[in-house]
């Protein structure tokens, strides 16, 4: 398939700049992948589509304030660092801007000097490896001096940075939020559990590669970024029990989906596992774990809309997106949601 097959026209005013006033008050399009029929609901209605014996799997990664601004020690130039992936206790893969001001051997200080860094390697794709020096807790320093790395299409300031975290976020390490989970409230999760639905968690630290455009015209030629995941034994047990008893596995978000499918593809089953995945799911892929998907509306020509198309069919997906535009749904990270059953 071609990248251009996944293009759709989106009026700029439909790109959500702010989260909904209440998390579970977003709109919800329910898409039946067998018939292509849609329903229009409110997100809290998602509970009506979950049955006792099903399970709901969520990504509990936590976004770190990964955007920091440093001053080059020899020239005084200001350079933006975006932390992508932790490689060791004090080494990170980063994006720097402007890149020409952050070459190998260049040193930087951040904040009031609480943090310093040296570029120790420039990678072939232009990213850098930075070695940081600090006293105390690195994440506490980030909380003090860093900014939330909102996607480029959100141009307005986020007043409450907790709204770019899920209510169940706990494992620090993401450069972007698993946005399908932003719609859940503690009350909704409690009601779902009380209904007899098991809730489990995986961790996949979301990198900014999620937002990188597909450049290859033939999508099969696109190479996915790698992200770190963790599948706990207790979550694997929940999924296996659900499958054994005839229940359905609801994945919350494309990151959760990529984790579950990576584990299933790697091991031939769902089991405790940890590693890195660069799985690229596009039409033709045969799903091995998930039965239903909760997700937001994604960018045209993105790997995310390709994953959705693989799950519910290309025509169903593009028709649903056209309908979402016509119905004035809100798109992308702070936008409305879709449930595919």
């Amino acid at each position: 398939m071609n990248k251009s097959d996944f293009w759709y026209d989106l009026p700029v005013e439909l790109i959500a700049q702010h989260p909904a006033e209440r998390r579970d008050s977003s709109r919800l399009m329910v898409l039946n992948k067998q018939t292509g029929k849609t329903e229009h609901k409110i997100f809290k209605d998602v509970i009506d589509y979950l049955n006792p014996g099903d399970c709901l799997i969520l990504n509990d990664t936590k976004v770190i304030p990964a955007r920091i601004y440093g001053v080059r020690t020899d020239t005084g130039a200001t350079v933006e660092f975006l932390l992508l992936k932790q490689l060791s206790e004090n080494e990170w893969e980063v994006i720097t801007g402007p890149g020409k001001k952050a070459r190998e051997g260049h040193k930087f200080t951040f904040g009031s000097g609480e943090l310093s860094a040296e570029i120790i390697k420039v990678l072939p794709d232009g990213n850098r490896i930075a070695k940081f020096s600090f006293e105390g807790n690195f994440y506490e320093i980030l909380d003090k001096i860093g900014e939330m790395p909102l996607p480029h299409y959100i141009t307005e300031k986020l007043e409450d940075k907790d709204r770019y975290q899920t209510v169940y976020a706990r494992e620090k390490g993401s450069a972007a939020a698993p946005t399908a989970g932003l719609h859940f409230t503690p009350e909704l999760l409690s009601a779902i559990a009380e209904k007899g639905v098991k809730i489990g968690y995986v961790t996949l630290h979301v990198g900014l590669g999620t937002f990188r455009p597909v450049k290859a015209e033939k999508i099969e030629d696109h190479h996915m970024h790698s992200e770190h995941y963790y599948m706990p034994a207790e979550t694997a047990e929940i999924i296996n029990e659900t499958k054994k008893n005839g229940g359905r596995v609801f994945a919350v978000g494309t990151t959760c989906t990529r984790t579950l499918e990576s584990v299933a593809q790697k091991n031939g089953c769902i089991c405790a596992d940890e590693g890195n995945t660069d799985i690229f799911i596009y039409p033709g892929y045969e799903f091995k774990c998930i039965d239903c998907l909760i997700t937001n509306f994604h960018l045209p020509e993105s790997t995310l809309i390709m994953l959705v198309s693989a799950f519910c069919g290309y025509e169903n997906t593009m028709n649903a997106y056209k309908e979402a535009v016509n119905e004035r749904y809100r798109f992308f990270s702070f936008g409305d949601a879709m449930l595919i059953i």
Side-chain angles (χ1 to χ4, degrees), residues 246-309:
R248 297 169 298 168
V249 176
F250 282 69
V252 178
T254 57
T255 62
C256 183
T257 299
R258 293 180 71 236
T259 303
L260 298 176
E261 293 299 319
S262 294
V263 172
Q265 183 167 284
K266 173 184 171 183
N267 301 295
C269 63
I270 296 296
C271 55
D273 194 24
E274 184 173 8
N276 294 302
T277 181
D278 60 359
I279 190 171
F280 181 19
I281 298 175
Y282 55 86
Y285 177 85
E286 291 188 13
F287 285 82
K288 300 163 184 65
C289 179
I290 78 166
D291 300 298
C292 304
L293 174 62
I294 298 168
T295 188
N296 280 17
F297 292 93
H298 304 293
L299 277 73
E301 299 184 340
S302 65
T303 60
L304 307 180
I305 193 174
M306 293 172 191
L307 183 153
V308 172
S309 298

Side-chain angles (χ1 to χ4, degrees), residues 114-169:
E114 304 100 317
L115 191 64
S116 60
E118 179 181 355
I119 303 297
I120 59 174
K121 188 175 183 180
V122 178
L123 300 175
D125 63 1
N127 293 354
R128 271 70 170 154
I129 305 297
K131 184 174 184 178
F132 289 92
S133 301
F134 52 92
E135 290 185 7
N137 185 289
F138 181 75
Y139 290 106
E140 288 178 3
I141 296 170
L142 276 190
D143 284 339
K144 181 179 177 183
I145 68 173
E147 297 179 4
M148 280 297 189
L150 295 178
H152 62 87
Y153 48 74
I154 296 176
T155 58
E156 298 184 21
K157 185 177 174 63
L158 178 64
E159 298 300 329
D160 179 4
K161 66 181 182 181
D162 284 342
R163 292 304 306 273
Y164 195 58
Q165 301 279 18
T166 62
V167 297
Y168 47 81

Side-chain angles (χ1 to χ4, degrees), residues 70-81 95-110 117-119 122 126 128:
V71 175
R72 211 171 101 182
T73 54
D74 57 347
T75 65
T78 299
V79 177
E80 176 187 332
F81 278 53
I95 294 175
T96 58
K100 63 183 179 181
K101 293 184 179 179
R103 293 181 174 152
E104 196 169 314
H106 289 168
K107 297 179 180 180
F108 301 84
T109 60
F110 304 85
E118 179 181 355
I119 303 297
V122 178
R128 271 70 170 154

Side-chain angles (χ1 to χ4, degrees), residues 202-219:
V202 296
T203 304
L204 182 134
H205 292 316
V206 189
L208 289 183
T210 293
F211 303 109
R212 281 188 177 152
V214 175
K215 294 182 178 177
E217 183 53 35
K218 293 289 185 185
I219 65 172

Side-chain angles (χ1 to χ4, degrees), residues 61-66 143 148-149 164-165 169 171-178:
T61 189
K62 190 169 188 176
V63 186
I64 59 174
D143 284 339
M148 280 297 189
Y164 195 58
Q165 301 279 18
E171 300 294 337
K172 294 179 179 177
S174 272

